[in-house]
Amino acid sequence: PKGDATWEERVNGTRRLAQMARAEGLGFAVEAEGGFAISNSTTMRKFIDEVGDGLVTVNFDPSHYMVAGEDPVEVLRKFRNVLGHVHFKEFTDGIHFAYYKGTPDSVADRVLRELASWPYDGVVSVETLADICDEPEAMSREIFAGMQKRLKEF
């Protein structure tokens, strides 16, 4: 992601890796990350298009698009047809939180509401952050309880 590789080298290298993954029956998802070559929805779209052939999907982390100044739900909609994986966690005021309690209108709630309105059948993973979470298993249970609470309302 960082380093001396050119954009073209990244595209070509990813294409080769994704082709190998496809040959083994695996998918290949890429995640945007602030300060890296793919840091927002514009660079993600360009990368997916240049790798081509439907080889790459989006590993969607809403907090990374917020850092880029983008609305995560709008970005999610942009990538609806190339969504491979979704991270589920809360993010507010520049701080990652490793919990979700079913808070209406939070970022995580808006993402979950959007996904629930689609026929999405991909992976949604709970991302707990060990550096700020002493008990990740307990936090994961709390996050799932929050998701179940809100999904019943959708």
Side-chain angles (χ1 to χ4, degrees):
K2 292 184 178 182
D4 297 331
T6 66
W7 180 263
E8 185 174 295
E9 289 169 329
R10 293 167 204 255
V11 167
N12 292 334
T14 299
R15 186 180 300 118
R16 285 190 302 276
L17 290 172
Q19 287 169 336
M20 289 189 293
R22 181 181 277 176
E24 296 297 323
L26 302 171
F28 196 95
V30 175
E31 182 173 339
E33 179 82 44
F36 286 55
I38 302 169
S39 60
N40 57 40
S41 66
T42 301
T43 53
M44 178 64 80
R45 173 51 65 195
K46 180 179 184 215
F47 191 74
I48 289 170
D49 291 347
E50 289 185 21
V51 170
D53 198 24
L55 288 166
V56 173
T57 59
V58 174
N59 180 20
F60 181 79
D61 187 320
S63 67
H64 296 184
Y65 293 101
M66 288 182 72
V67 168
E70 298 181 84
D71 179 334
V73 174
E74 291 302 317
V75 174
L76 188 66
R77 289 175 184 148
K78 287 180 187 179
F79 293 126
R80 180 177 180 161
N81 295 325
V82 290
L83 199 59
H85 180 265
V86 176
H87 285 194
F88 191 76
K89 67 181 177 198
E90 195 56 86
F91 181 86
T92 306
D93 298 327
I95 301 169
H96 290 75
F97 291 101
Y99 62 83
Y100 174 70
K101 297 181 180 181
T103 307
D105 299 321
S106 66
V107 172
D109 185 67
R110 291 175 48 236
V111 167
L112 188 60
R113 180 182 302 277
E114 183 67 23
L115 286 173
S117 74
W118 302 350
Y120 179 71
D121 64 354
V123 175
V124 176
S125 68
V126 173
E127 184 176 44
T128 58
L129 303 173
D131 58 334
I132 62 170
C133 180
D134 294 330
E135 299 180 39
E137 289 180 15
M139 296 308 292
S140 293
R141 285 191 298 274
E142 189 172 344
I143 291 167
F144 282 120
M147 288 173 66
Q148 290 171 339
K149 172 184 166 186
R150 293 299 292 153
L151 282 173
K152 288 178 185 175
E153 296 173 23
F154 299 155

